[in-house]
Amino acid sequence: MAPGISLVLGFAGAGGVILAASLLMDIPFSGWLRYIGSHSLVIYMGFYLPMMTAMAAIRRMDLPFSFSTISAMVSVLSALAALSLFWMTRNTLLKGLFIRPSWAHVPIPGDD
């Protein structure tokens, strides 16, 4: 592939995701997407360990699926595991794993 084409295609893909998100924003059944988007840091922080565990378990099961299907399964399972861990720890002392402490908040200019 010629240099720069993958960069242009990457920007086009990012634009497509933004366009799809803006079109889905007002649809009533898309509330779960809004929740996932607002908790994307929680998913990012808790994604790695469930991902490695799911990959090892699926590899041991020797499932007859394609690589892309297994990747999608691992991604969904890991995101759900991260959100589950957040839900289980949000009212305990372990909530600091996912919630930024008050001393670490950055003030927003103009928000008094």
Side-chain angles (χ1 to χ4, degrees):
M1 187 176 293
I5 295 210
S6 61
L7 181 63
V8 170
L9 291 175
F11 280 127
V17 169
I18 292 169
L19 178 66
S22 65
L23 291 174
L24 289 173
M25 185 172 65
D26 294 327
I27 296 176
F29 67 83
S30 65
W32 64 276
L33 286 172
R34 198 175 348 228
Y35 183 83
I36 288 174
S38 65
H39 290 82
S40 60
L41 185 61
V42 167
I43 294 172
Y44 176 75
M45 296 299 292
F47 190 85
Y48 181 73
L49 289 177
M51 176 189 66
M52 297 307 288
T53 305
M55 282 176 35
I58 288 174
R59 192 177 300 136
R60 281 194 199 112
M61 286 190 273
D62 198 28
L63 297 175
F65 298 120
S66 68
F67 182 74
S68 56
T69 304
I70 291 174
S71 297
M73 289 170 41
V74 167
S75 296
V76 169
L77 287 173
S78 301
L80 290 176
L83 283 172
S84 299
L85 187 60
F86 168 68
W87 292 329
M88 289 188 297
T89 61
R90 66 182 168 180
N91 294 324
T92 67
L93 292 175
L94 295 174
K95 68 183 175 186
L97 293 171
F98 296 105
I99 298 174
R100 185 182 300 204
S102 59
W103 58 266
H105 280 279
V106 177
I108 299 171
D111 190 27
D112 295 325

